[in-house]
Amino acid sequence: MGRLIIASNRTATPGEPKAGGLAVALWDALTERGGGLWFGWSGEISEREHRGIRLSTEDAVEFALADLTEREHDGYYLGYANRALWPVCHYRIDLARFDDEHFECYTQVNRRFGGLLHGLLRPGDEVWVHDYHFLLLGQELRNAGWRGPIGFFLHIPFPAPEVFTALPQHQRIARGLAEFDLLGFQTVRDTRNFVRYMVEHHDATDLGDGRLEVFDRIIRTAAFPIGIDAAEIAYFATSENGRSDASRLGKIIESRALVLGVDRMDYSKGLPQRLQAFGRLLDDHQDLCGHVTFVQIAPPSREDVGAYQDLREELDRLAGSINSSYSDLDWTPIRYLARGYPRETLAGLYRMARVGLVTPLYDGMNLVAKEYVAAQDPEDPGVLVLSEFAGAAEQLGAALIVNPYDITAMAEAIHRGLTMPKEERCARWRELNEAVTRGDIGRWRRDFLAALDAVGGGRPPLRGIRSA
Ligand code: GDG
């Protein structure tokens, strides 16, 4: 078996402990094969010039990292990836900014990175590309002459064709995507959206079993729902650090019930609606005043994108307004913390929370939903309130499923969670935990790589590859 080559915009940091489910899963995928290569952006922005590629090795895994120039960071990363692709894929065309120069820069970076990566490939290698930053990387590898297998996994949603086609460059992106041999999505819904898009807009023939004939190639599509390292989260939740940090919060909220949200500060996560729902809960159930505290942890992300600054201001305003209406001398209803915490702390807080609120307006998967489940005490678990628009809802139907735009329904779901009898909480949790453990991160990695091996194992694209 050849080497596994992973290409992702951000990689784990060479020489540092691998933190977070995804970094660990990809690291394990590389080490399980006895080595491989992890290729991506170094996270560094060089002033003007490209500084070439930096190679390092850790436990038989090679890292190959390239810097972006300031112009590339603006056009490719902040511009096209985060101001066009991210909003469109999350059904927020209203927030998208379509700029031809950003797209040009995006294609240039994919071309430059494709060329760099191609120079590192050897016959027999298998390439696994990740996410919306590198939609054109497969095509650039083909253009550079690579004929071996390339898989792609999209971590964010693939929207309905009616939305995806709002991207002025969707035709060129489709042509690029067709150069991957295997396209993996988070959910069945995303996979169907992609297939329908290719059939309706590019005359693809649906051959069944996830195979599509399009642009004179046969490509494979499937859902590979990403999971978490459930055992690790369960361990963190009861670890020394997890418990001691949770008890710091416990001292402040005392015996009050904890409702918890943990999200990157992003407009896809439905944070304003969630705060409003908590406000509505207090409006409608005044007996809860003084007895429940909502903690929202929201580490800021992508602060150099305007829509994120607006969001932060809106959240400050909403939390301030609800708190000023309801706070008392010894009680603040909302503790909104715009900063990050160690994973152990999060796990300890998950376990303490009577209700886990995971209500994105749209989300590829949402790992927080799964982490919340894995951290619970089986004897006395909390209740997960989950958006129907999180990819995780396809697997976690035993949660209280809500429409995140329906503020009243969300408030009622929180109330139901807070008052749910233990027997029902336990029954729901068992079902959820079974799904989270069965579909953990190891399963995701193994399933994807088995499908990619099948592509590489003598079943290459049936027709010759045509360049764009
Ligand atoms: C993308 C897709 C898909 C959060 N706050 C802190 C912290 N986190 C961790 C959580 C969780 C992760 O970040 C967030 O993962 P999500 O899945 O919820 O969301 P995205 O970041 O948007 O991820 C998403 C995912 O890719 C994987 O494919 O599920 O749909 O959008 O693990 O725990 N971690 C630490 N401190 C924090 O304060 N250490």
Side-chain angles (χ1 to χ4, degrees):
M1 190 182 290
R3 295 181 308 168
L4 175 63
I5 312 295
I6 292 178
S8 55
N9 179 60
R10 294 307 306 272
T11 69
T13 312
E16 286 188 13
K18 310 296 170 267
L22 184 60
V24 172
L26 297 181
W27 176 257
D28 286 353
L30 288 162
T31 49
E32 256 172 24
R33 299 232 170 170
L37 177 79
W38 201 338
F39 171 82
W41 174 34
S42 61
E44 301 282 321
I45 302 169
S46 52
E47 293 286 303
R48 271 187 298 276
E49 297 300 322
H50 297 137
R51 287 195 286 175
I53 206 155
R54 264 175 278 158
L55 294 171
S56 58
T57 306
E58 183 186 345
D59 295 344
V61 174
E62 266 186 283
F63 284 87
L65 306 179
D67 298 345
L68 293 174
T69 64
E70 228 167 281
R71 189 187 143 271
E72 289 173 336
H73 184 252
D74 284 351
Y76 147 82
Y77 180 73
L78 295 177
Y80 200 70
N82 286 322
R83 285 202 189 107
L85 292 171
W86 178 273
V88 167
C89 289
H90 289 87
Y91 290 78
R92 291 302 301 270
I93 304 176
D94 59 316
L95 294 178
R97 182 164 153 214
F98 302 123
D99 181 323
D100 291 342
E101 271 182 40
H102 288 171
F103 182 66
E104 201 41 47
C105 194
Y106 181 87
T107 55
Q108 281 166 12
V109 171
N110 272 255
R111 185 167 310 136
R112 183 164 81 81
F113 276 44
L116 289 171
L117 179 56
H118 184 253
L120 301 166
L121 297 180
R122 299 182 204 141
D125 285 348
E126 272 181 5
V127 184
W128 185 5
V129 177
H130 288 261
D131 227 0
Y132 62 105
H133 312 90
F134 284 154
L135 298 178
L136 303 178
L137 198 71
Q139 186 175 35
E140 294 302 342
L141 287 173
R142 299 293 185 215
N143 289 343
W146 177 250
R147 295 290 172 261
I150 318 179
F152 173 74
F153 184 77
L154 186 65
H155 289 258
I156 66 173
F158 193 92
E162 293 74 15
V163 173
F164 194 67
T165 48
L167 263 181
Q169 303 82 9
H170 73 91
Q171 311 267 7
R172 286 180 62 188
I173 289 175
R175 187 63 196 87
L177 288 175
E179 294 297 343
F180 292 114
D181 299 304
L182 170 68
L183 288 113
F185 300 92
Q186 297 273 25
T187 61
V188 172
R189 175 163 57 190
D190 295 334
T191 314
R192 283 197 190 127
N193 282 341
F194 176 75
V195 169
R196 186 157 75 81
Y197 166 70
M198 284 303 206
V199 168
E200 290 176 8
H201 294 271
H202 301 284
D203 281 335
T205 308
D206 186 348
L207 302 172
D209 290 342
R211 289 174 318 133
L212 273 184
E213 184 169 5
V214 64
F215 297 120
D216 286 339
R217 301 192 78 234
I218 292 192
I219 59 176
R220 288 172 174 77
T221 63
F224 299 92
I226 197 167
I228 58 162
D229 184 340
E232 182 190 62
I233 296 289
Y235 169 75
F236 281 165
T238 51
S239 69
E240 186 70 25
N241 287 346
R243 279 185 300 147
S244 74
D245 282 337
S247 73
R248 272 174 58 206
L249 178 69
K251 281 190 195 120
I252 293 167
I253 64 168
E254 297 173 331
S255 59
R256 297 180 182 105
L258 172 64
V259 175
L260 179 69
V262 174
D263 309 75
R264 257 185 330 100
M265 195 181 289
D266 190 286
Y267 51 77
S268 64
K269 304 292 183 184
L271 295 169
Q273 291 80 354
R274 197 179 304 170
L275 288 177
Q276 285 164 7
F278 190 74
R280 182 71 54 84
L281 173 78
L282 300 179
D283 294 343
D284 294 351
H285 298 278
Q286 303 243 336
D287 55 311
L288 285 178
C289 289
H291 299 291
V292 58
T293 300
F294 175 31
V295 172
Q296 175 64 54
I297 293 175
S301 66
R302 303 174 195 161
E303 288 168 277
D304 23 18
V305 176
Y308 290 76
Q309 291 154 6
D310 297 346
L311 173 67
R312 190 165 176 162
E313 282 166 25
E314 187 181 4
L315 295 176
D316 288 345
R317 191 176 48 73
L318 274 169
S321 140
I322 297 168
N323 277 342
S324 64
S325 303
Y326 283 103
S327 290
D328 208 336
L329 291 174
D330 59 351
W331 174 60
T332 307
I334 298 178
R335 298 179 68 85
Y336 154 54
L337 306 164
R339 50 159 290 191
Y341 287 87
R343 287 168 60 71
E344 284 94 332
T345 306
L346 293 184
L349 296 179
Y350 290 144
R351 193 174 176 98
M352 233 178 103
R354 178 52 65 219
V355 172
L357 261 189
V358 183
T359 56
L361 302 180
Y362 223 92
D363 217 330
M365 175 54 60
N366 197 300
L367 297 179
V368 171
K370 296 185 172 182
E371 292 167 359
Y372 177 74
V373 170
Q376 295 309 302
D377 174 357
E379 303 302 321
D380 189 15
V383 175
L384 176 65
V385 174
L386 179 62
S387 161
E388 64 183 281
F389 303 121
E394 269 190 15
Q395 298 164 291
L396 304 183
L400 296 183
I401 302 291
V402 292
N403 172 355
Y405 295 94
D406 188 339
I407 306 297
T408 308
M410 271 200 288
E412 279 317 301
I414 301 170
H415 186 256
R416 193 171 158 207
L418 289 170
T419 53
M420 188 180 284
K422 189 166 168 185
E423 203 178 316
E424 184 181 350
R425 283 191 274 123
C426 288
R428 285 178 181 271
W429 177 79
R430 276 194 297 273
E431 211 175 306
L432 293 170
N433 196 49
E434 158 71 15
V436 168
T437 355
R438 196 169 1 98
D440 71 355
I441 188 82
R443 162 96 184 261
W444 171 75
R445 177 184 85 224
R446 286 189 298 275
D447 284 355
F448 189 92
L449 289 177
L452 186 58
D453 286 346
V455 169
R459 286 189 276 138
L462 300 186
R463 303 259 180 91
I465 294 153
R466 222 171 44 178
S467 56

